[in-house]
Amino acid sequence: MARTDARFRSAFNELLDTLAELPVAAALPSEVQLSQRLKVSRTVVRAALKALDGAGIIHLDGREKMMLRHPLAEDRLTLREDYISRDALEARFLDWVLRFDVPAETPLNVAQLAKQFNVPPHLLQEFLASLGQFGLVERRPRGGWRLLGFTADYAVELSDFRSVLEVNAVRAVVCQPDDHPVWPALAAIRRDHLSLLDRIDRDFHDFSPLDGQFHSIINSVVNNRFVTEFQKVISLIFHYHYQWDKTMERHRNEAAIKEHLRIIDALCARDGATAEAAALSHLATSKETLLSSMRGHHLA
Amino acid sequence: MARTDARFRSAFNELLDTLAELPVAAALPSEVQLSQRLKVSRTVVRAALKALDGAGIIHLDGREKMMLRHPLAEDRLTLREDYISRDALEARFLDWVLRFDVPAETPLNVAQLAKQFNVPPHLLQEFLASLGQFGLVERRPRGGWRLLGFTADYAVELSDFRSVLEVNAVRAVVCQPDDHPVWPALAAIRRDHLSLLDRIDRDFHDFSPLDGQFHSIINSVVNNRFVTEFQKVISLIFHYHYQWDKTMERHRNEAAIKEHLRIIDALCARDGATAEAAALSHLATSKETLLSSMRGHHLA
DNA sequence: CCCGTGGTTTTTATCATTAAAGACACTAGA
DNA sequence: TCTAGTGTCTTTAATGATAAAAACCACGGG
């Protein structure tokens, strides 16, 4: 058939709600006003009005729209909000690839995956195309897709790339003037780090969001859409992996906090060389953690 | 309807060509052999054989496939190779955006563009999705696409990103051992640069491919799929812009050759600091050229 | 003259259809 | 019995048709 009428249905039901508040025989607002209120196109409003007219709830006659009776519960149209958002799809897909350790070179079945993820097939198609740039999937010569897989090679190259970007960011930070917002932000996150370090035995789980914030502050001074875009993917993948590798989590996180503090202190002292070195060493640790987490996962 | 039978048609015609070399009453090879030779599935081969049987060119009977008569010119099926490849689409699209200076925020009409570029709409859709990651286009809230445009901001950020990657590459080059293939490659391209410098007055147009080679050699030591991917886009965009900015081309190219030589010499001397500085300065020139080319283009 | 309305056109999202690919099982001949 | 080849069937993705949604336009009443 064609596109779903979900938009029409929800607009129709919302319209019923508005009608319920009007007295019988009242005149309805204009089509444009209704479309603005319901945040849909006039086409949808007109279709809904026609349906209401057909159901005998209102009477349509040119620009005269008169309320005939109050709507009942059974007038409502059923609607099922099946489909998930693009971000949710991204999360689900990565979850699927990383958690179930889908082997490299797996051919992807668009129709089946679309069903599994509750999205229309062509949205999945589009999503795969956008992933293609990150080298996670590949178009097969004659139709279809192939998962290139989250291999060790991939992880190494991703980490290396991350290092390049992040060291660059660290270098940029020390060049910022004293009134740049990055300085108070760093001071604030430094306090958060110290606070978490105090209660690390109990709250070591709280490190993951803090880690995300820290790296995002560092990268925020680099005002570059390409960096930002990549940072999104990088943090997503690192975040996902950390979630599952529970070995030595307390110890690991404590060490990472201390590494972060070394970087922060060097940055606040405007000591570029030391900050860079500290960042490099932190990123190297991070890479090792990612790789060992993958090895552990493979053995499991 | 359904997918086109272009595959069947071209296989059929190829099969006619093979038959032309066989004598009448000869037995044909097996389906598997034919499918391997024509590089199509057995399904297509069988369909083609059936069609040949129907046309009275061969006689099919179980595994007996006998040649009845030689094929004629009118036996061939017509086929129109309309569609262009993915790379060609990329080139055409960039060409369209950059050359005609399509303004930012332009809503893109998928159906119309697909016609214009001679591709099926869903391929264009897929292509746009893959471009999305590079921040050139964006999905509109309720369907459709919007061109974000190749603005000055975009060019600046692209150039900056390029600098980050390329300086990183330069740093990597000086760390390579003496037997790494990058050294002979650099020596060779150094000779090419000197040779072009000698005949710059006449052959200054030959610089563009040389420039591409040079940057690709530098980046080849960084074995990273993300870098490679980005490098592709970067070189594409720079290449396109250089093509049109004809002002001072001879002078510009001569200067660029000398900058390249400074980088190469520093690299060959394993002088990382000098090489890095030379690269930075070259990239800054490059960025300026790109920006001024855009300004000139805007005024035109 | 301007806003609101109805009609019309354009454009996108979805679905049914069908070609292509491949899997499986069967058959003939060595 | 084994192998090469064929017949049949299932699965899958590309494509055209089509309905929903949005945009456009001209008209008419205040």
Side-chain angles (χ1 to χ4, degrees):
Chain A
M1 263 214 299
R3 62 169 29 180
T4 63
D5 57 354
R7 207 164 174 69
F8 164 77
R9 285 165 178 272
S10 71
F12 182 89
N13 287 344
E14 263 194 82
L15 198 51
L16 286 185
D17 294 340
T18 3
L19 287 185
E21 291 163 16
L22 288 176
V24 171
L28 274 65
S30 80
E31 294 179 357
V32 179
Q33 284 175 317
L34 285 174
S35 75
Q36 280 166 354
R37 192 180 307 175
L38 302 179
K39 299 203 199 321
V40 293
S41 74
R42 257 189 63 227
T43 312
V44 181
V45 171
R46 286 163 59 78
L49 287 175
K50 210 167 193 173
L52 286 172
D53 182 55
I57 300 176
I58 65 170
H59 179 69
L60 265 188
D61 179 30
R63 64 187 54 189
E64 306 292 322
K65 294 182 286 291
M66 198 182 60
M67 183 88 175
L68 289 181
R69 63 170 174 84
H70 275 121
L72 306 168
E74 60 259 38
D75 289 323
R76 300 183 74 85
L77 297 174
T78 58
L79 55 100
R80 51 204 200 305
E81 289 281 336
D82 277 349
Y83 291 154
I84 61 174
S85 75
R86 149 87 210 217
D87 282 345
L89 172 60
E90 189 168 273
R92 280 223 212 172
F93 184 81
L94 282 178
D95 196 53
W96 179 68
V97 171
L98 298 178
R99 185 190 296 274
F100 295 109
D101 208 19
V102 184
E105 304 294 301
T106 307
L108 298 177
N109 180 330
V110 174
Q112 183 196 313
L113 280 180
K115 216 176 285 174
Q116 184 175 336
F117 295 142
N118 254 22
V119 288
H122 78 277
L123 257 183
L124 186 72
Q125 193 99 357
E126 205 177 295
F127 171 72
L128 290 177
S130 74
L131 270 191
Q133 300 298 333
F134 297 119
L136 266 178
V137 297
E138 181 187 63
R139 207 125 178 47
R140 273 187 303 175
R142 282 202 292 287
W145 299 85
R146 189 203 331 272
L147 184 76
L148 289 184
F150 189 69
T151 60
D153 274 358
Y154 188 94
V156 167
E157 293 180 18
L158 185 72
S159 299
D160 290 347
F161 197 69
R162 185 194 194 196
S163 295
V164 172
L165 296 187
E166 198 127 341
V167 166
N168 174 255
V170 164
R171 258 192 223 117
V173 169
V174 289
C175 299
Q176 299 304 315
D178 285 353
D179 57 350
H180 192 277
V182 72
W183 299 119
L186 275 179
I189 200 131
R190 180 170 191 275
R191 280 192 296 277
D192 293 342
H193 274 79
L194 288 174
S195 141
L196 182 57
L197 201 55
D198 266 349
R199 51 196 168 82
I200 186 72
D201 284 318
R202 190 160 42 91
D203 297 335
F204 62 88
H205 282 113
D206 295 351
F207 175 67
S208 187
L210 198 61
D211 184 64
Q213 277 171 48
F214 171 71
H215 288 285
S216 125
I217 288 176
I218 299 279
N219 281 292
S220 70
V221 299
V222 182
N223 221 319
N224 190 296
R225 65 192 78 188
F226 306 108
V227 173
T228 311
E229 194 62 36
F230 252 99
Q231 212 59 45
K232 251 170 52 189
V233 188
I234 289 171
S235 65
L236 211 61
I237 290 188
F238 273 81
H239 172 74
Y240 265 77
H241 257 285
Y242 285 164
Q243 265 189 327
W244 304 319
D245 186 15
K246 295 303 182 196
T247 58
M248 312 266 293
E249 193 181 359
R250 202 204 69 90
H251 175 76
R252 254 199 299 126
N253 288 355
E254 186 177 344
I257 293 179
K258 287 180 179 159
E259 289 178 4
H260 280 187
L261 285 171
R262 282 227 308 282
I263 302 174
I264 296 174
D265 289 341
L267 283 175
C268 290
R270 308 291 196 276
D271 180 353
T274 308
E276 201 175 306
L280 269 176
S281 116
H282 173 56
L283 290 164
T285 319
S286 209
K287 175 176 170 180
E288 265 321 305
T289 310
L290 178 63
L291 282 173
S292 78
S293 135
M294 290 183 64
R295 275 193 291 271
H297 204 250
H298 254 286
L299 295 176
Chain B
M1 263 212 304
R3 60 170 24 180
T4 63
D5 57 354
R7 207 163 174 68
F8 163 77
R9 283 165 180 272
S10 71
F12 182 89
N13 286 344
E14 264 195 82
L15 199 49
L16 286 185
D17 294 340
T18 352
L19 288 186
E21 291 163 15
L22 287 178
V24 171
L28 275 65
S30 78
E31 293 178 359
V32 179
Q33 285 174 318
L34 286 174
S35 76
Q36 280 164 357
R37 192 179 307 175
L38 302 179
K39 299 206 199 320
V40 292
S41 72
R42 254 188 66 220
T43 310
V44 178
V45 170
R46 286 167 61 77
L49 288 176
K50 210 166 193 176
L52 286 172
D53 181 54
I57 301 176
I58 64 170
H59 178 70
L60 266 188
D61 179 31
R63 62 188 54 188
E64 307 292 320
K65 293 182 286 289
M66 198 182 59
M67 182 90 173
L68 289 181
R69 64 171 175 85
H70 275 118
L72 305 169
E74 61 259 39
D75 289 323
R76 298 184 75 83
L77 296 175
T78 58
L79 55 101
R80 50 203 201 307
E81 287 284 335
D82 278 348
Y83 291 152
I84 61 175
S85 74
R86 147 88 210 216
D87 282 346
L89 172 60
E90 189 167 272
R92 281 225 212 171
F93 183 82
L94 282 177
D95 196 54
W96 179 70
V97 171
L98 299 179
R99 185 189 297 273
F100 295 110
D101 208 20
V102 183
E105 302 294 301
T106 307
L108 298 177
N109 182 329
V110 174
Q112 184 195 312
L113 281 181
K115 218 176 284 174
Q116 184 176 333
F117 295 143
N118 255 18
V119 288
H122 78 275
L123 257 184
L124 185 72
Q125 193 96 359
E126 202 177 297
F127 172 71
L128 289 177
S130 74
L131 270 192
Q133 302 297 331
F134 296 120
L136 266 178
V137 297
E138 181 187 65
R139 209 121 176 50
R140 274 186 304 174
R142 280 204 293 287
W145 298 84
R146 187 203 332 270
L147 184 75
L148 289 184
F150 189 69
T151 60
D153 276 357
Y154 188 93
V156 168
E157 293 179 18
L158 185 70
S159 300
D160 291 346
F161 197 69
R162 185 193 194 197
S163 296
V164 172
L165 296 187
E166 198 128 340
V167 167
N168 174 256
V170 165
R171 259 193 222 117
V173 169
V174 288
C175 300
Q176 299 304 317
D178 285 353
D179 58 349
H180 192 277
V182 73
W183 300 118
L186 275 179
I189 200 128
R190 182 170 189 275
R191 280 192 295 277
D192 293 342
H193 274 79
L194 288 174
S195 140
L196 183 56
L197 202 54
D198 267 348
R199 51 198 167 80
I200 187 72
D201 284 316
R202 191 161 42 91
D203 298 334
F204 62 89
H205 282 112
D206 296 351
F207 175 67
S208 188
L210 198 61
D211 185 62
Q213 277 172 47
F214 171 71
H215 288 284
S216 122
I217 287 176
I218 299 279
N219 281 292
S220 70
V221 299
V222 182
N223 222 319
N224 189 297
R225 65 192 78 188
F226 306 107
V227 174
T228 311
E229 194 63 36
F230 252 99
Q231 210 60 44
K232 251 170 52 188
V233 189
I234 289 172
S235 66
L236 211 60
I237 290 188
F238 274 82
H239 172 74
Y240 265 79
H241 257 285
Y242 285 164
Q243 264 189 328
W244 304 320
D245 186 16
K246 295 304 184 200
T247 59
M248 313 266 294
E249 193 181 359
R250 202 204 69 89
H251 175 75
R252 254 197 303 126
N253 288 354
E254 186 177 344
I257 291 179
K258 287 180 180 160
E259 290 180 2
H260 281 187
L261 284 171
R262 283 228 308 282
I263 302 175
I264 296 174
D265 289 341
L267 283 176
C268 291
R270 309 291 196 276
D271 180 351
T274 309
E276 199 175 309
L280 269 176
S281 117
H282 173 56
L283 290 164
T285 319
S286 209
K287 174 177 171 179
E288 266 321 305
T289 310
L290 178 62
L291 283 173
S292 79
S293 135
M294 289 183 65
R295 276 191 291 271
H297 204 251
H298 254 286
L299 296 175

